[in-house]
Amino acid sequence: MMAAAVAALPAFGLVPGFTGLAATAASAATTGCVLPEEANAKATRIAAGLNAFRASEGLRPVSHARELSRAAQTQACDMASSGSFSHRGSDGSNHRARVERTGYCAGVSAENLAWGYPRAQQIITGWQGSPGHRQVMALDRAQEFGVGIAQGAKGPVWVLVMAQPC
Protein backbone atom coordinates (compact mmCIF):
# COMPACT_ATOMS: atom_id res chain seq x y z
CA MET A 1 0.00 0.00 0.00
CA MET A 2 1.21 3.49 -0.84
CA ALA A 3 2.19 5.87 1.91
CA ALA A 4 0.04 8.96 1.94
CA ALA A 5 0.34 12.37 3.49
CA VAL A 6 -1.81 15.45 3.25
CA ALA A 7 -1.20 19.09 4.19
CA ALA A 8 -3.31 22.23 3.97
CA LEU A 9 -2.53 25.88 4.25
CA PRO A 10 -5.69 27.95 4.58
CA ALA A 11 -4.42 31.35 3.56
CA PHE A 12 -7.12 34.00 3.66
CA GLY A 13 -7.23 34.11 -0.84
CA LEU A 14 -16.60 22.28 -13.18
CA VAL A 15 -15.56 23.04 -16.16
CA PRO A 16 -16.62 20.08 -18.41
CA GLY A 17 -13.71 18.88 -20.50
CA PHE A 18 -11.09 20.16 -18.05
CA THR A 19 -7.90 20.82 -19.98
CA GLY A 20 -5.77 22.51 -17.36
CA LEU A 21 -2.97 20.00 -17.40
CA ALA A 22 -2.84 19.84 -21.19
CA ALA A 23 -1.67 23.44 -21.16
CA THR A 24 0.97 22.71 -18.54
CA ALA A 25 2.16 19.36 -19.91
CA ALA A 26 4.56 20.96 -22.38
CA SER A 27 6.17 23.13 -19.72
CA ALA A 28 6.25 20.18 -17.31
CA ALA A 29 8.09 18.11 -19.93
CA THR A 30 10.72 20.81 -20.39
CA THR A 31 11.46 20.80 -16.65
CA GLY A 32 11.70 17.00 -16.48
CA CYS A 33 8.41 16.71 -14.63
CA VAL A 34 6.53 13.46 -15.21
CA LEU A 35 2.75 13.53 -15.32
CA PRO A 36 0.94 10.40 -14.16
CA GLU A 37 -1.11 8.39 -16.63
CA GLU A 38 -4.45 9.99 -17.43
CA ALA A 39 -3.49 13.22 -15.67
CA ASN A 40 -6.29 15.25 -17.30
CA ALA A 41 -8.90 12.63 -16.39
CA LYS A 42 -7.65 12.64 -12.80
CA ALA A 43 -7.76 16.45 -12.69
CA THR A 44 -11.31 16.34 -14.07
CA ARG A 45 -12.30 13.96 -11.26
CA ILE A 46 -10.76 16.31 -8.69
CA ALA A 47 -12.78 19.19 -10.19
CA ALA A 48 -16.00 17.16 -10.14
CA GLY A 49 -15.40 16.01 -6.55
CA LEU A 50 -14.56 19.54 -5.44
CA ASN A 51 -17.75 20.96 -6.92
CA ALA A 52 -19.87 18.07 -5.62
CA PHE A 53 -18.53 18.78 -2.14
CA ARG A 54 -19.23 22.50 -2.52
CA ALA A 55 -22.79 21.76 -3.67
CA SER A 56 -23.33 19.54 -0.62
CA GLU A 57 -22.27 22.49 1.54
CA GLY A 58 -24.64 24.88 -0.24
CA LEU A 59 -21.73 26.70 -1.95
CA ARG A 60 -21.57 27.78 -5.57
CA PRO A 61 -19.32 25.80 -7.91
CA VAL A 62 -15.87 27.06 -8.81
CA SER A 63 -14.59 27.22 -12.37
CA HIS A 64 -11.22 26.30 -13.76
CA ALA A 65 -8.54 28.98 -14.24
CA ARG A 66 -5.52 27.99 -16.34
CA GLU A 67 -3.25 30.35 -14.37
CA LEU A 68 -4.16 28.60 -11.12
CA SER A 69 -3.42 25.22 -12.71
CA ARG A 70 -0.03 26.54 -13.84
CA ALA A 71 0.72 27.62 -10.25
CA ALA A 72 -0.48 24.25 -8.91
CA GLN A 73 1.49 22.31 -11.52
CA THR A 74 4.65 24.26 -10.70
CA GLN A 75 4.42 23.14 -7.08
CA ALA A 76 3.44 19.56 -7.95
CA CYS A 77 6.47 19.24 -10.24
CA ASP A 78 8.76 20.88 -7.70
CA MET A 79 7.67 18.51 -4.93
CA ALA A 80 7.87 15.45 -7.19
CA SER A 81 11.38 16.30 -8.37
CA SER A 82 12.74 17.32 -4.97
CA GLY A 83 10.99 14.59 -2.99
CA SER A 84 9.72 17.20 -0.55
CA PHE A 85 6.17 17.67 0.70
CA SER A 86 5.65 21.30 1.59
CA HIS A 87 3.71 24.41 0.75
CA ARG A 88 7.11 26.13 0.45
CA GLY A 89 8.70 25.67 -2.97
CA SER A 90 12.36 24.77 -3.39
CA ASP A 91 12.90 28.41 -4.38
CA GLY A 92 11.32 29.59 -1.10
CA SER A 93 8.02 30.57 -2.74
CA ASN A 94 4.62 30.13 -1.16
CA HIS A 95 1.42 29.43 -3.09
CA ARG A 96 0.59 33.13 -3.30
CA ALA A 97 3.90 33.94 -5.02
CA ARG A 98 3.42 31.07 -7.48
CA VAL A 99 -0.10 32.32 -8.30
CA GLU A 100 1.17 35.88 -8.82
CA ARG A 101 3.97 34.64 -11.13
CA THR A 102 1.31 33.38 -13.54
CA GLY A 103 -0.16 36.89 -13.80
CA TYR A 104 -3.27 35.96 -11.82
CA CYS A 105 -4.48 38.65 -9.41
CA ALA A 106 -5.96 36.87 -6.37
CA GLY A 107 -7.98 38.65 -3.74
CA VAL A 108 -8.05 35.47 -1.64
CA SER A 109 -6.16 32.23 -2.28
CA ALA A 110 -5.47 28.91 -0.60
CA GLU A 111 -3.71 25.63 -1.39
CA ASN A 112 -4.22 21.95 -0.57
CA LEU A 113 -1.57 19.27 -1.07
CA ALA A 114 -1.74 15.50 -1.13
CA TRP A 115 0.80 12.82 -1.86
CA GLY A 116 0.68 9.12 -2.64
CA TYR A 117 -3.02 8.64 -3.27
CA PRO A 118 -3.56 6.92 -6.64
CA ARG A 119 -7.21 7.96 -7.11
CA ALA A 120 -8.83 11.40 -7.14
CA GLN A 121 -11.76 10.34 -4.95
CA GLN A 122 -9.31 9.37 -2.20
CA ILE A 123 -8.00 12.94 -2.28
CA ILE A 124 -11.44 14.53 -2.08
CA THR A 125 -12.51 12.18 0.73
CA GLY A 126 -9.27 12.80 2.63
CA TRP A 127 -9.53 16.57 2.28
CA GLN A 128 -13.17 16.50 3.42
CA GLY A 129 -12.10 14.68 6.58
CA SER A 130 -9.41 17.20 7.48
CA PRO A 131 -10.55 20.54 8.96
CA GLY A 132 -7.84 22.61 7.22
CA HIS A 133 -8.38 21.02 3.82
CA ARG A 134 -12.13 21.21 4.18
CA GLN A 135 -11.81 24.93 4.93
CA VAL A 136 -9.87 25.43 1.69
CA MET A 137 -12.40 23.47 -0.39
CA ALA A 138 -15.28 25.38 1.23
CA LEU A 139 -13.67 28.80 0.82
CA ASP A 140 -16.85 30.76 0.16
CA ARG A 141 -15.13 33.65 -1.62
CA ALA A 142 -13.27 31.33 -4.01
CA GLN A 143 -14.60 31.46 -7.55
CA GLU A 144 -11.86 29.59 -9.40
CA PHE A 145 -9.50 26.67 -8.94
CA GLY A 146 -6.48 25.02 -10.51
CA VAL A 147 -5.09 21.49 -10.19
CA GLY A 148 -1.55 20.19 -10.58
CA ILE A 149 -0.49 16.53 -10.60
CA ALA A 150 3.01 15.11 -10.97
CA GLN A 151 4.41 11.61 -10.60
CA GLY A 152 6.84 11.40 -7.69
CA ALA A 153 9.03 8.49 -6.65
CA LYS A 154 6.46 7.40 -4.03
CA GLY A 155 3.31 8.13 -6.02
CA PRO A 156 1.39 11.06 -7.43
CA VAL A 157 1.70 14.53 -5.95
CA TRP A 158 -1.54 16.56 -6.04
CA VAL A 159 -1.97 20.32 -5.62
CA LEU A 160 -5.24 22.26 -5.54
CA VAL A 161 -5.21 26.05 -5.63
CA MET A 162 -8.43 27.97 -4.91
CA ALA A 163 -8.79 31.71 -5.46
CA GLN A 164 -11.02 34.71 -5.82
CA PRO A 165 -9.86 36.95 -8.65
CA CYS A 166 -9.24 40.65 -7.96
Side-chain angles (χ1 to χ4, degrees), residues 8-166:
L9 178 66
F12 298 81
L14 180 70
V15 176
F18 177 83
T19 59
L21 293 180
T24 59
S27 62
T30 62
T31 62
C33 183
V34 177
L35 300 180
E37 288 185 31
E38 301 180 3
N40 280 320
K42 290 177 180 186
T44 299
R45 287 192 285 279
I46 289 287
L50 170 63
N51 277 322
F53 165 75
R54 288 179 64 84
S56 75
E57 297 290 307
L59 298 166
R60 69 183 174 278
V62 288
S63 59
H64 177 251
R66 288 184 186 270
E67 298 90 348
L68 296 179
S69 279
R70 281 197 304 272
Q73 191 65 40
T74 295
Q75 185 61 5
C77 288
D78 187 35
M79 288 190 302
S81 67
S82 70
S84 68
F85 186 74
S86 174
H87 290 282
R88 181 97 22 222
S90 61
D91 63 356
S93 65
N94 62 21
H95 82 275
R96 186 90 178 173
R98 291 185 293 274
V99 166
E100 289 172 357
R101 285 179 195 159
T102 70
Y104 187 96
C105 179
V108 173
S109 63
E111 179 181 73
N112 276 355
L113 307 177
W115 166 73
Y117 293 95
R119 290 183 304 281
Q121 189 54 48
Q122 292 173 301
I123 304 298
I124 296 298
T125 300
W127 285 341
Q128 286 177 30
S130 163
H133 295 94
R134 186 180 190 93
Q135 186 176 15
V136 169
M137 290 177 26
L139 188 59
D140 185 45
R141 292 171 49 196
Q143 297 171 8
E144 298 178 318
F145 75 94
V147 177
I149 307 168
Q151 187 62 44
K154 297 180 181 180
V157 176
W158 308 74
V159 179
L160 169 70
V161 176
M162 305 275 294
Q164 172 195 36
C166 295

